Amino acid sequence: MSLNATDRRVYDPANDTLGWTSQAGDRQTVAVTDIISEGPIAGLVEGGQSVFVNNDPLMAADQSTYEAVEGGKVTTTSGSDQATVAAPRGSEFTIKHPETGTRFLMLMGAYSMKATISQVVPSQPIGTTNAVTGIAGIPLGGRIDLTRVSGAATDDSFNHSLAEHAELDLGTRLVADGSTVAQVKLPETSGGGIIRGSIVGMSDGANTFSLLYRNSIAALNLFNTLDTNGTTEHDVTIDLFLEIEAIDGRTLTLENNAPLTFEGKFAITPAIIADNLSESNIALHNSGSAKYPGSSFQFRTGTLIQEPISALEGTGSSSVNLLSSALIMEENSAQTITYSQTAAAEIDEIKLLFSYPQGLYCFSETSGRNYPSAAAYKVEFCPVKPGVTDQFIIINGGYTFSGTPCFAHGGTHTSGVVFQSNFSVEPFKPFASIKIRITRLTKHDQADTSPVGVPEWPGLGYSGKSRHKGIYASSVTSALGIVKENLNYPYTAYANVAFSSKSFSSMPKRTYDCQGLKVLVPSNYTTREEANSDQAVYTGFWDGQLSTEKVWTDNPAWVFYDILINNRYGLGDFLEATDIDHFSLYKIAKYCDELVPDGKGGTEPRFRANLYITKATDAFKILK
């Protein structure tokens, strides 16, 4: 059951899941989620350029992220700044270096080791108050304590500070040359999932360290007693990021010499202009494309443990009203919203609407000309917890007024206008109820004739011109608590595409160029994709053993075998592997892989199976 790498399927808009959000602007952002298939699948063939809207790649070659599928490898040499890409069979590798921004090469599994687990501590607050975010500890996820047994040596450069992990937990992570992401692979008895996170407490030569993870379901639902007995060995791998200086075809020039010799799977980040990148961006999430401004995509390959799709700001599965009546906002006068209903504990995000019924601007009394003006607000959040003294924490709204982090609005809006401001409260969980305190930091009254003038936009400073009068009376007309369903949909491959209504006046058709379901193959078999050749490779005699890891192949024999033994979408509940004649299938598989004339002067495999089954069908018909 594989997807043809050249077959682009179109999804019916009737099956779309839409997310809408209203921003302070003249456009809307639309997000649509498409279910691709059962998982895990190999993934997108050309990264962001394999996501099509109306048959046009969503991402430009110099903006798109890229993650190599079967057969895609990069080679680095220790002490050299050159890296060479071997593109997957059927892939052209058209990724380019951006004119602005920085890309990073991600060496996937650059370092690997075997380690035992002594304990898993779920839902533990990690660290002290973060000076940047003001958050006292990060309660999401937990900690896995490990002891290295063999493999790569421990290195203190793999560590992350608690502040960096706090940023990771907030959805952002600093990407820099030499930074890392680590993962622990669970045994097949626990589902074979991968838990990603940050390494802490590792030092040169010392074998004990910990991995801090975000996925709170991992420790609670996936580990069993044998996994944490201190004896069972687990695979621990560490992905390494190296800054790219230039891209010339399939040759990457690195900013610094590579610290190791490596040949294996890789990914390339999108062009990063800011200082941080969403953790989900590291694996096929891209935003800020120059081709379609405001567009982005997220892709999940359908593993057992996978990050939930990041929702559009201000959207969720439901919301609760936190405000019974509008709050008039006056300078240096705080307004407090308290919500203590049962639903408070479920709130993930706060959405505030600031209304300026007469507009937001200023004018000169002498010339009569209009100018842009501004309003700034300090927003504080208090997570109310039993037995804990209330503490209000200032939320960073992206602006600063007189040294205070704040939310701000501005422009020359000569008629009524509404601005929306959102902030996440997930990092503050758990809490029983919430309080929000909003203080206007700037003038609110046109009658104020003080010589400082009016607040300017941009800059959030006062004009110093007393002849300027401002129109900026405001109120908070709505406060909503957004409840999100942070579901990761295990074993479901799906994509989420977001775009601006300015780019598309109607819902575009989405198509995806993918390699499909991964399946088990003989242990001595190298697929055409892995060999990066038209000819599959059979090495020596086969002992009847299958591969330990699933791979993508379109060989009909192993697609057939996967349908027979899979207990989710196949006949695995009715058949055992011992019921199947593996050696006869092996002969059939070799026959299918033999090259025959393609009628165009070349050769092709005798038989291939590229099936895309979109509805429940009788198993016998599928096999036939």
Side-chain angles (χ1 to χ4, degrees):
M1 266 170 88
S2 55
L3 297 179
N4 188 341
T6 60
D7 188 11
R8 299 169 189 165
R9 301 288 180 165
V10 179
Y11 289 85
D12 187 341
N15 296 325
D16 295 342
T17 300
L18 292 177
W20 294 83
T21 181
S22 298
Q23 302 290 342
D26 56 357
R27 70 198 68 184
Q28 291 177 310
T29 299
V30 182
V32 56
T33 298
D34 293 315
I35 294 177
I36 307 296
S37 72
E38 288 268 356
I41 66 173
L44 296 168
V45 174
E46 291 280 2
Q49 293 186 87
S50 290
V51 178
F52 296 83
V53 285
N54 293 337
N55 295 320
D56 183 45
L58 181 71
M59 298 294 163
D62 65 340
Q63 294 288 326
S64 172
T65 184
Y66 179 89
E67 183 173 356
V69 287
E70 300 292 344
K73 295 181 180 179
V74 70
T75 301
T76 65
T77 302
S78 178
S80 171
D81 65 353
Q82 300 292 296
T84 305
V85 170
R89 181 175 169 273
S91 169
E92 297 180 5
F93 189 73
T94 57
I95 297 298
K96 300 183 183 299
H97 200 61
E99 293 184 5
T100 57
T102 303
R103 285 185 183 271
F104 290 85
L105 170 67
M106 180 181 183
L107 304 183
M108 305 177 76
Y111 304 97
S112 61
M113 63 182 71
K114 294 284 188 179
T116 59
I117 297 175
S118 57
Q119 67 172 336
V120 176
V121 184
S123 302
Q124 177 187 11
I126 300 165
T128 56
T129 300
N130 185 325
V132 177
T133 62
I135 296 172
I138 302 298
L140 303 180
R143 187 185 81 237
I144 303 174
D145 294 333
L146 299 121
T147 302
R148 173 189 171 276
V149 176
S150 61
T154 54
D155 191 316
D156 58 13
S157 68
F158 298 156
N159 280 321
H160 289 266
S161 68
L162 292 175
E164 286 177 320
H165 182 75
E167 291 177 359
L168 170 65
D169 210 278
L170 287 167
T172 60
R173 179 188 175 281
L174 187 66
V175 175
D177 197 59
S179 62
T180 60
V181 173
Q183 46 268 324
V184 175
K185 186 178 187 303
L186 276 64
E188 293 299 325
T189 53
S190 296
I194 293 176
I195 300 175
R196 296 169 62 87
S198 306
I199 288 178
V200 295
M202 180 181 282
S203 57
D204 296 345
N207 290 326
T208 58
F209 61 96
S210 297
L211 180 129
L212 307 182
Y213 63 88
R214 292 179 57 195
N215 197 324
S216 59
I217 68 167
L220 296 176
N221 300 325
L222 299 176
F223 284 104
N224 60 44
T225 304
L226 292 178
D227 297 333
T228 58
N229 60 8
T231 303
T232 302
E233 295 185 4
H234 302 267
D235 293 317
V236 178
T237 56
I238 299 171
D239 301 335
L240 176 67
F241 291 90
L242 301 176
E243 185 175 342
I244 300 172
E245 181 182 293
I247 301 176
D248 183 9
R250 298 189 182 187
T251 300
L252 313 179
T253 301
L254 305 176
E255 184 70 22
N256 299 297
N257 291 337
L260 78 165
T261 297
F262 174 84
E263 182 181 16
K265 193 173 179 181
F266 70 101
I268 295 177
T269 69
I272 305 166
I273 298 175
D275 291 331
N276 55 51
L277 178 70
S278 165
E279 169 70 7
S280 56
N281 280 352
I282 294 171
L284 290 180
H285 173 214
N286 189 87
S287 63
S289 165
K291 188 172 186 180
Y292 290 105
S295 63
S296 66
F297 81 93
Q298 301 175 71
F299 194 90
R300 301 293 181 264
T301 57
T303 55
L304 172 63
I305 303 174
Q306 56 188 4
E307 286 294 317
I309 289 291
S310 300
L312 284 176
E313 186 179 54
T315 64
S317 59
S318 61
S319 63
V320 293
N321 185 19
L322 310 178
L323 194 61
S324 57
S325 59
L327 304 176
I328 305 301
M329 301 306 303
E330 298 184 349
E331 184 181 7
N332 295 325
S333 178
Q335 296 277 18
T336 301
I337 302 169
T338 300
Y339 188 78
S340 57
Q341 301 297 321
T342 305
E346 303 298 322
I347 294 173
D348 299 303
E349 186 175 329
I350 303 296
K351 178 166 69 175
L352 302 174
L353 293 185
F354 293 82
S355 175
Y356 300 83
Q358 297 173 311
L360 174 58
Y361 67 102
C362 69
F363 63 92
S364 170
E365 286 189 310
T366 56
S367 68
R369 292 181 58 187
N370 295 329
Y371 298 93
S373 190
Y377 303 87
K378 179 174 69 173
V379 178
E380 300 169 277
F381 180 78
C382 175
V384 180
K385 305 180 181 183
V388 179
T389 302
D390 287 356
Q391 179 185 3
F392 280 91
I393 301 166
I394 299 176
I395 302 298
N396 186 350
Y399 298 90
T400 301
F401 180 80
S402 298
T404 301
C406 64
F407 289 82
H409 316 126
T412 310
H413 302 277
T414 56
S415 58
V417 64
V418 176
F419 289 89
Q420 174 182 310
S421 297
N422 298 64
F423 62 92
S424 173
V425 298
E426 290 183 79
F428 303 98
K429 287 186 171 182
F431 45 72
S433 59
I434 61 174
K435 295 179 181 179
I436 305 165
R437 188 162 64 198
I438 308 170
T439 306
R440 181 161 183 164
L441 303 177
T442 55
K443 286 184 176 183
H444 71 279
D445 188 359
Q446 180 185 356
D448 186 343
T449 58
S450 57
V452 297
V454 298
E456 295 182 306
W457 183 265
L460 286 183
Y462 279 104
S463 67
K465 299 174 182 178
S466 59
R467 67 178 180 273
H468 286 176
K469 303 299 178 183
I471 304 296
Y472 32 52
S474 70
S475 61
V476 177
T477 56
S478 174
L480 293 178
I482 307 298
V483 179
K484 298 179 180 179
E485 288 186 355
N486 292 317
L487 304 177
N488 67 340
Y489 301 105
Y491 294 127
T492 301
Y494 64 109
N496 179 276
V497 178
F499 48 86
S500 168
S501 60
K502 276 204 164 183
S503 298
F504 301 95
S505 58
S506 61
M507 181 64 67
K509 294 180 180 179
R510 287 88 52 214
T511 53
Y512 305 91
D513 191 1
C514 301
Q515 285 184 350
L517 275 168
K518 295 183 175 183
V519 301
L520 294 174
V521 297
S523 57
N524 70 331
Y525 178 55
T526 304
T527 67
R528 292 187 296 278
E529 287 66 37
E530 290 179 299
N532 219 347
S533 167
D534 289 337
Q535 179 66 66
V537 177
Y538 293 82
T539 306
F541 292 99
W542 186 42
D543 60 4
Q545 297 297 311
L546 297 174
S547 57
T548 55
E549 299 287 339
K550 292 183 176 183
V551 298
W552 182 82
T553 181
D554 58 7
N555 186 298
W558 305 118
V559 173
F560 180 88
Y561 180 74
D562 184 64
I563 297 173
L564 289 179
I565 66 168
N566 193 284
N567 59 6
R568 293 199 325 273
Y569 51 79
L571 297 174
D573 286 337
F574 308 100
L575 290 175
E576 298 289 341
T578 53
D579 297 328
I580 302 166
D581 185 347
H582 292 70
F583 291 97
S584 292
L585 273 180
Y586 184 77
K587 292 179 182 179
I588 294 170
K590 293 187 71 173
Y591 181 74
C592 293
D593 273 334
E594 289 178 358
L595 298 180
V596 296
D598 63 2
K600 302 176 184 178
T603 58
E604 63 181 357
R606 179 175 276 111
F607 296 112
R608 300 170 67 193
N610 286 288
L611 313 176
Y612 189 36
I613 303 169
T614 59
K615 61 181 179 180
T617 307
D618 183 83
F620 180 74
K621 290 182 180 179
I622 297 295
L623 294 174
K624 186 177 179 180

